Structures are given as structure tokens and as C-alpha cells.
Amino acid sequence: GAVVSQHPSWVICKSGTSVKIECRSLDFQATTMFWYRQFPKQSLMLMATSNEGSKATYEQGVEKDKFLINHASLTLSTLTVTSAHPEDSSFYICSAPFGAGDYEQYFGPGTRLTVT
Amino acid sequence: AQSVTQLGSHVSVSEGALVLLRCNYSSSVPPYLFWYVQYPNQGLQLLLKYTSAATLVKGINGFEAEFKKSETSFHLTKPSAHMSDAAEYFCAVSVGGYNKLIFGAGTRLAVHP
């Protein structure tokens, strides 16, 4: 089956610094990937759609200048949290569609970000 | 606009008992519906999906769900709960040309001996 990986699995950074999270499709190509954010004991909220070779599409209310997304290849999308603050601490999960019709999403294991 | 409502944020059952997790959807077009399971500090694993074929969908780990258009429901069931089923379960609907997923709030399933 399709495998999506994320790196790092967890990261601690100081307030004001930037953090990059990678999402890779290991055995398939993904022209589109999705980034979600999950607060403790809450559901996943879609942040943006990452498009290979073009700009990402952000959901309403998500600051595109704060959450920079780059989809430079068919197997890699990156999310950079710029000038991180404690309120950015969260679980970030990516997914990629796979299969006939691309309607099935495969999820990465998530990245736990803690901003101190 | 599409949306998903999961009734019951917490469900507790005894080991061996029936599991029923409720999901209702709202969609202006025929929906694709999914159930995912999430274990602590992990990503999501697909349990099953409905994509306009058979209305009774069988998934992994003994779970199944029935699509009922008249009730706009897609409830998840398992005849006999196992301790390993304890996790968070999310119902989701697929929207848009890029198949974005909109998730329900989730239901935490606890299984006790």
C-alpha cells in the first residue's frame, strides 16, 4: 500500500524561530498533498492544499505568510512554520491521495511541534 | 457545503459488546465517505470507505458501515469489541476536485474488560 512519511516526528523550538516539516510519498507520486493541524483532543483541520509546481491553496483563516508550503517535487511537500509562537504548538499531519480516482487519502504519522 | 457530524464524543463499551459510532453527513452532491482510526500520537489509518458502490461497506479489523441516503448517515459498527479497538475514530467526507477531506469532531472509543 501507499506510504507517507513525515520528518521530524517531533520538534521543540524557541519562540521566534522557524521550523520546517517534510512530507514524503515513499512509493508513489503525489501532485497534490494536504496539510492538517490537530490540537489536543480535537479533530483535524485542513490548513492548505499543496500543489506540485505551483502555489499552495490555503483554507480560510490560515496565514499563508506564516505557514509556507513548498511542493518542489512529486514526492515531497514541506511546511515551514515561520516565526513560531507557543500558539502554533500542535500536531501537524500531511496526507496524499492515491488510488483509482485519487479519492483515498494516505496519512503521514504526524509531527508534534512544541514552541517554547 | 459538505459537513460531518459525529454524535457522541466518547463511547464506552465492554469487551465483546457491539460497537456503534454515529456519523451524519451533509452534502449537496453524492458524497464519498470515510472512517479513519487514530491511535495516540499517530497519523490516521483508513478503516473503510464508501464511494457510491455497495451501501454496506466492510473494512479492516471487523468494522463495517452502512450508507443510508434517506437518513444521511454512515454509522460505523463492529459486532464484538476488542481491547485493541480503543482509539479515536473520525468520520470524513470528501469534497472538491482535489478530494479534500472534511472531518467530524471525532469519537473516542473506550473498551473495558
Side-chain angles (χ1 to χ4, degrees):
Chain A
V3 178
V4 175
S5 70
Q6 284 185 240
H7 178 81
S9 55
W10 60 271
V11 57
I12 301 173
C13 71
K14 293 186 176 181
S15 186
T17 62
S18 294
V19 174
K20 180 183 287 188
I21 302 170
E22 295 184 348
C23 177
R24 293 181 184 273
S25 56
L26 297 186
D27 49 2
F28 67 102
Q29 294 181 334
T31 57
T32 302
M33 291 183 177
F34 299 96
W35 286 96
Y36 295 84
R37 183 174 183 177
Q38 185 180 32
F39 290 106
K41 300 187 186 301
Q42 294 189 28
S43 187
L44 283 76
M45 297 299 296
L46 179 64
M47 298 175 65
T49 302
S50 175
N51 304 301
E52 188 268 334
S54 64
K55 292 183 178 180
T57 304
Y58 291 82
E59 296 299 305
Q60 190 174 7
V62 177
E63 299 176 62
K64 61 180 181 180
D65 294 329
K66 182 169 187 61
F67 298 99
L68 301 180
I69 291 173
N70 184 26
H71 196 146
S73 78
L74 289 172
T75 59
L76 174 64
S77 174
T78 60
L79 168 67
T80 301
V81 183
T82 63
S83 186
H85 291 283
E87 57 265 31
D88 299 324
S89 298
S90 189
F91 196 51
Y92 292 89
I93 305 175
C94 70
S95 72
F98 177 76
D102 280 346
Y103 54 76
E104 189 166 327
Q105 300 280 344
Y106 284 83
F107 285 80
T111 297
R112 174 77 58 194
L113 170 62
T114 300
V115 185
T116 61
Chain B
Q2 284 87 344
S3 66
V4 171
T5 302
Q6 290 185 241
L7 301 175
S9 58
H10 291 80
V11 171
S12 181
V13 300
S14 299
E15 190 173 21
L18 171 71
V19 175
L20 171 60
L21 304 182
R22 301 178 186 274
C23 173
N24 287 89
Y25 69 91
S26 173
S27 178
S28 57
V29 298
Y32 285 176
L33 295 161
F34 305 82
W35 275 100
Y36 285 88
V37 61
Q38 184 182 34
Y39 297 98
N41 296 311
Q42 295 186 27
L44 276 67
Q45 181 182 8
L46 180 67
L47 281 176
L48 49 80
K49 58 183 183 286
Y50 168 77
T51 57
S52 73
T55 56
L56 181 61
V57 181
K58 295 186 181 298
I60 63 172
N61 302 336
F63 285 94
E64 62 181 37
E66 186 172 8
F67 172 73
K68 291 186 177 181
K69 183 178 180 180
S70 60
E71 299 178 7
T72 61
S73 68
F74 190 57
H75 301 331
L76 181 71
T77 61
K78 182 174 181 178
S80 177
H82 192 272
M83 297 295 288
S84 61
D85 294 327
E88 188 85 20
Y89 291 81
F90 293 98
C91 182
V93 61
S94 178
V95 302
Y98 290 106
N99 299 307
K100 298 189 297 185
L101 289 178
I102 304 299
F103 285 88
T107 297
R108 183 167 298 276
L109 175 66
V111 182
H112 52 86

